[in-house]
């Protein structure tokens, strides 16, 4: 947790973190003036940020205010400002550096200027991040170095650490300060640190544009730290090394970049202060590049609560030797107050403010049914609702068994529809006893089955789709629509059987759910479904069936299949039967995923692969057909529920696809049982 915080454990409810943090978060954004923090006591820092909208002129200055202002004593001690640049161009990465500097520092604020290096054809957003403090910090030293007049190339200044002994080379930060003339883009320069030791270091500047005139009246504000001062709101400060050995590519505009993950997550996006640090040591690196022949510019490419990407460029040939560079950084802000909070009874810590951490019971549980019967004789929909009950009651509730507490009820059957027209056909299907219980969801799965036409007939039917409507506790309505124009005479007069199962809850070992599909206008619509973590050890079987809330609407008829099934997720896809058939709304898909099913199902589960490598046969009505042997010993035609599964790894994405599956014929008498 942030410095000054005390750890406090809590049950669900409010947990206020005791203590304080110097300052408050300044959020990144497109700001005309800087956001600043409150400085409650001496020795703390102010920090903030502001965004420059830089046009083709490539140069802009802005004023930033200190709130509260520094005191006269602070002025005597010396007011120091450090800055860094964050390239906030959106939506894509920028990978183009800029340089910034400070001017006219007063007790009430300062001015900062930014000059970009790349050609700008439209407005470019660059966010300046800054921190300000007075005097010498605890665990460190601060000062100002005067840069002598120079006219071209690189100029370096030696800085000795006077009055402070460092046990090892400190972290060093540098920022240029222009005295006179002000708002002068010709003095724009890259600034970096060279060769920091326990006793001294160098500050180097390289003009941004070659032969850009006389550079004078420039100072550099510097900060050297061996540790984070206790009064600063800087929970994370360290360095990261860019080895710069990889091949440079155009994708990063020939920049070296590195992703950095914070050791702890912040409550909000922090302010970052960075400085590039280079070492020229010919003994350890015979190819080391002298600062006289170099220019180093670093910047922040992206930043969020968990980390950032830092990039840098030097002026060496892109395919030549590049020295490693350390990026020193300070991450300023409040850490997530939940970092060290422990919650009981499955509550989860949630931050409501930089110092306000609360243990909250689960409240956004998934809707899928992976039921379990609790020792309190309550059926819990899934693990999350079970944990929520324990959290709400602050007590442990054991599991009696998986599955619902009530007996699992399964209805199955077959209903006849006559699909001899291009219109939708529907029929109401009553359930046999026992009826379903109130307050629990009823799932219906249905499939097309032409089992009764003569097995010896070579006729293969046209594709058709089926869906359920008005699903209730005592009955449901089943509807189907045939594809095509019904211009082929069928040997069975259009008789189409719909096999169905209706059940409540989820059988032990299975997961069931109903996914509401978003409104869509045409083509294919897919939705991802996440399965319970660790539920399945291998890719599960999945069956699906559509359910419509708009009654008897043939324009909503759609093929339904699953895509990309894994142990943890799958996608449900629907494709309208007729292209450009209007708005499709209020459609859901019932699904069940399982590896094994309980014996009450009296079912066998199978997967039949359709490689579809060649063209479909005209004799099969241009459909792909296969024969599959059944394992069960059936005395009557079994209920057949089938769902197609496809993988995008096979080449065709669902947006360009539509898949329908059905059972053409069943032979169930011994010894051969085929479909």
């Amino acid at each position: 947790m942030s410095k000054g915080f005390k750890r406090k454990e809590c049950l669900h409810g409010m947990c206020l973190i005791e203590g304080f943090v110097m300052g408050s978060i300044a959020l990144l954004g497109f700001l005309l003036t800087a956001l600043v923090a409150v400085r409650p006591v001496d020795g703390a820092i102010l920090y903030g940020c502001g965004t420059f909208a830089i046009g083709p002129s490539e140069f802009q200055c802005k004023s930033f205010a200190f709130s509260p202002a520094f005191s006269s004593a602070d002025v005597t001690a010396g007011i120091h400002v450090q800055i860094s640049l964050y390239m906030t161009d959106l939506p894509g990465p920028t990978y183009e550096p800029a340089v910034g500097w400070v001017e006219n520092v007063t007790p009430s604020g300062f001015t900062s200027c930014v000059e970009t290096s790349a050609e700008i054809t439209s407005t470019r957003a660059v966010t300046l991040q800054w921190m300000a403090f007075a005097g010498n910090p605890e665990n460190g030293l601060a000062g100002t170095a005067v840069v002598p007049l120079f006219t071209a190339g690189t100029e370096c200044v030696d800085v000795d650490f006077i009055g402070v002994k460092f046990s090892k080379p400190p972290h060093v930060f540098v920022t240029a300060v222009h005295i006179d003339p002000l708002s002068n883009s010709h003095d724009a320069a890259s600034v970096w640190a060279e060769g920091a030791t326990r006793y001294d270091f160098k500050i180097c500047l390289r003009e941004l544009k070659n032969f850009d005139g006389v550079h004078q009246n420039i100072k550099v504000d510097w900060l050297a730290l061996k540790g984070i001062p206790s009064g600063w709101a800087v929970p994370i400060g360290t360095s990261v090394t860019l080895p710069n050995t990889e091949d440079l590519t155009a994708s990063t505009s020939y920049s070296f970049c590195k992703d950095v993950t914070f050791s702890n997550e912040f409550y909000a996006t922090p302010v970052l202060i960075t400085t590039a640090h280079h070492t020229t040591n010919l003994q350890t690196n015979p190819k080391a590049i002298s600062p006289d022949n170099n220019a180093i510019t670093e910047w922040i490419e992206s930043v969020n609560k968990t980390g950032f990407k830092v990039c840098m460029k030097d002026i060496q040939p892109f395919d030549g030797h590049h020295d490693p560079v350390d990026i020193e950084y300070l991450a300023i802000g409040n850490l997530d107050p939940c970092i060290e909070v422990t919650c009981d009874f499955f509550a989860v810590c949630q931050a409501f403010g930089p110092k306000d951490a609360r243990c909250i019971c689960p409240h956004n549980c998934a809707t899928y049914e992976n039921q379990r019967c609790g020792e309190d004789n309550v059926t819990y929909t899934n693990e999350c609702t079970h944990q929520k009950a324990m959290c709400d009651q602050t007590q442990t509730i054991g599991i009696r068994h998986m599955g619902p507490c009530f007996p699992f009820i399964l209805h199955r059957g077959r209903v006849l529809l006559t699909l001899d027209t291009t219109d939708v056909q529907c029929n109401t299907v009553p359930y046999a006893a026992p009826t379903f219980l109130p307050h629990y969801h009823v799932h219906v799965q249905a499939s097309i089955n032409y089992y009764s036409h003569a097995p010896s007939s070579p006729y293969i039917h046209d594709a058709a789709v089926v869906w359920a409507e008005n699903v209730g506790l005592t009955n449901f309505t089943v509807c189907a629509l045939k594809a095509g124009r019904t211009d082929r005479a069928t040997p069975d007069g259009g008789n189409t059987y719909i096999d169905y199962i209706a059940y409540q809850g989820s059988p032990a070992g299975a997961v069931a759910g109903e996914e509401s599909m978003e409104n869509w206008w045409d083509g294919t619509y897919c939705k991802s479904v996440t399965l319970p973590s660790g539920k399945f050890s291998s890719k599960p079987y999945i069956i699906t069936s559509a359910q419509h809330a708009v009654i008897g609407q043939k324009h909503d008829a759609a093929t339904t299949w699953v895509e990309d099934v894994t142990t943890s997720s799958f996608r449900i896809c629907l494709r309208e039967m007729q292209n450009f058939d209007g708005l499709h709304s209020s459609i859901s898909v019932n699904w069940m995923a399982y590896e094994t099913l309980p014996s009450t199902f009296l079912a066998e589960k199978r997967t039949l692969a359709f490689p579809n490598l060649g063209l479909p046969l005209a004799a099969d009505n241009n459909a792909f057909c296969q024969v599959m042997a059944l394992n069960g010993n059936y005395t009557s035609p079994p209920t057949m529920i089938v769902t197609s599964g496809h993988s995008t790894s096979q080449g065709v994405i669902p947006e360009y696809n539509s898949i329908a599956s059905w059972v053409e014929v069943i032979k169930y008498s011994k010894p051969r049982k085929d479909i």
Side-chain angles (χ1 to χ4, degrees), residues 44 113 146 346 399 543 629 657:
C113 300
V146 177
F346 302 101
I399 297 176
I543 55 175
N657 214 347

Side-chain angles (χ1 to χ4, degrees), residues 272 308 560 633:
L272 279 174
F308 65 99
T560 306
N633 186 17

Side-chain angles (χ1 to χ4, degrees), residues 421-443:
T421 72
T422 58
D423 204 359
V424 61
Q425 301 295 317
C426 299
N427 200 347
T428 298
V429 182
Y431 307 129
T435 57
F436 290 118
L437 300 174
H439 311 304
Y440 292 98
H441 186 75
V442 177
H443 300 277

